Amino acid sequence: MRLVLLGLPGAGKGTQGKHISEKYGIPHISTGSLIRGAVASDSPLGREANKYISKGNLIPDELAIEILHERLVEPDCADGWILDGFPRTVRQAIFLDQQLAKIGSEVQIALDIRITPEEAIRRISKRRVCSQCGAVYHLTHYPAKGDGVCDKCGGKLVQRQDDTVETARKRLEVHMIQTHPVVHFYAQSGRLYSVNGEALISDVFAEVDRLIAHFADEGDGASAGGVL
Ligand code: AP5
């Protein structure tokens, strides 16, 4: 299965991507996480990317494509993947289609997780992430049991540098201008599906799961092989 998750910052792409990955055993690839990893390691690529990410802007397409491509050629991607945060521009979407066409494959589901901008700000400003394992919490909806420490590994919970209200507003603005057209791109080719992202996390997943199962039942070639 090759699935891309779309939606405003804070829509729940990472949360749902993790659940889908656990159930279907395919990798969940978040370009945001890959970029934050590069920033944390202080690599030249990370330093360059941080100039954009810290201000709420997208990193240049060339850089995003390079980061994604390096990850997709790894062997665990041969039977499919869930992309979270890519494509974020129509140019990235076209790149992905072109690369997949080379191996006779395509993005099968572009899933738009829909929430309002107001809900996005509420979620982003109360999100906390584990500094060690990257687990995601929400101070109200999905709090950690301990005080400021991760339930899974005991790591310290921190706020992402781009999760301030001011930077989140900028990310929403950038999304509407640069990323929203990607929704139309997939709609035009009949691959767009949407779910209400404002329901409970478990209910959103139930809806996503029904959609994926329905798709698999139809014999969509979900396990078409080939590494990008
Ligand atoms: P990225 O990391 O992709 O950030 P994003 O798209 O802004 O998405 P978020 O991670 O903020 O939210 P999410 O939808 O994953 O929500 P989550 O599940 O965490 O990108 C960051 C930056 O990297 C970009 O700004 C850009 O600079 C750069 N970048 C990345 N990819 C790029 C690309 N391809 N090209 C160029 N630049 C790129 O949930 C949010 C919170 O809500 C959590 O606290 C969660 O617990 C809670 N929550 C989730 N679901 C629910 C629910 N149903 N009900 C209540 N709470 C919920």
Side-chain angles (χ1 to χ4, degrees), residues 8-15 31-32 35-36 53 57-59 64 85-86 88 92 123 127 136-138 141-142 160 162 171 197 199-201 204:
L8 287 178
K13 302 180 293 295
T15 302
T31 42
I35 295 166
R36 283 186 288 280
I53 193 167
N57 289 313
L58 298 186
I59 69 169
F86 193 103
R88 254 193 159 90
Q92 292 180 13
R123 287 190 188 176
R127 171 168 49 197
V136 176
Y137 297 89
H138 186 274
H141 302 306
Y142 186 48
R160 268 169 46 178
D162 59 345
R171 284 159 60 199
L200 292 174
I201 293 174
V204 178

Side-chain angles (χ1 to χ4, degrees), residues 49-99:
N50 200 34
K51 292 179 196 162
Y52 301 89
I53 193 167
S54 61
K55 296 193 176 82
N57 289 313
L58 298 186
I59 69 169
D61 282 337
E62 291 71 21
L63 218 51
I65 285 170
E66 184 186 330
I67 290 169
L68 181 82
H69 192 262
E70 264 180 31
R71 178 64 184 90
L72 289 190
V73 293
E74 288 180 25
D76 65 330
C77 291
D79 288 334
W81 30 249
I82 304 147
L83 294 189
D84 158 5
F86 193 103
R88 254 193 159 90
T89 62
V90 171
R91 191 167 157 222
Q92 292 180 13
I94 291 170
F95 162 81
L96 191 57
D97 272 359
Q98 287 172 342
Q99 293 299 308

Side-chain angles (χ1 to χ4, degrees), residues 109-126:
I109 305 176
L111 184 66
D112 187 21
I113 304 177
R114 304 188 66 156
I115 63 167
T116 61
E118 295 74 26
E119 177 66 6
I121 296 289
R122 279 194 288 273
R123 287 190 188 176
I124 290 172
S125 57
K126 289 193 171 183

Side-chain angles (χ1 to χ4, degrees), residues 3-186:
L3 181 153
V4 305
L5 295 172
L6 307 172
L8 287 178
K13 302 180 293 295
T15 302
Q16 297 301 327
K18 189 173 153 291
H19 286 306
I20 302 167
S21 171
E22 281 167 5
K23 173 145 186 186
Y24 290 91
I26 49 173
H28 164 221
I29 298 168
S30 154
T31 42
S33 297
L34 293 174
I35 295 166
R36 283 186 288 280
V39 172
S41 69
D42 202 27
S43 65
L45 190 149
R47 281 198 293 275
E48 178 63 15
N50 200 34
K51 292 179 196 162
Y52 301 89
I53 193 167
S54 61
K55 296 193 176 82
N57 289 313
L58 298 186
I59 69 169
D61 282 337
E62 291 71 21
L63 218 51
I65 285 170
E66 184 186 330
I67 290 169
L68 181 82
H69 192 262
E70 264 180 31
R71 178 64 184 90
L72 289 190
V73 293
E74 288 180 25
D76 65 330
C77 291
D79 288 334
W81 30 249
I82 304 147
L83 294 189
D84 158 5
F86 193 103
R88 254 193 159 90
T89 62
V90 171
R91 191 167 157 222
Q92 292 180 13
I94 291 170
F95 162 81
L96 191 57
D97 272 359
Q98 287 172 342
Q99 293 299 308
L100 288 169
K102 289 182 192 167
I103 57 163
S105 187
E106 63 172 356
V107 168
Q108 292 145 325
I109 305 176
L111 184 66
D112 187 21
I113 304 177
R114 304 188 66 156
I115 63 167
T116 61
E118 295 74 26
E119 177 66 6
I121 296 289
R122 279 194 288 273
R123 287 190 188 176
I124 290 172
S125 57
K126 289 193 171 183
R127 171 168 49 197
R128 296 294 180 270
V129 293
C130 175
S131 52
Q132 280 182 30
C133 73
V136 176
Y137 297 89
H138 186 274
L139 292 179
T140 316
H141 302 306
Y142 186 48
K145 295 187 187 83
D147 190 14
V149 292
C150 178
D151 294 345
K152 296 178 180 110
C153 74
K156 190 176 171 214
L157 299 187
V158 295
Q159 189 170 28
R160 268 169 46 178
Q161 65 162 345
D162 59 345
D163 272 357
T164 61
V165 172
E166 190 192 350
T167 312
R169 286 196 201 289
K170 173 70 180 173
R171 284 159 60 199
L172 290 176
E173 198 183 301
V174 167
H175 179 96
M176 290 319 296
I177 297 168
Q178 291 181 267
T179 307
H180 191 64
V182 175
V183 172
H184 297 293
F185 176 85
Y186 285 115

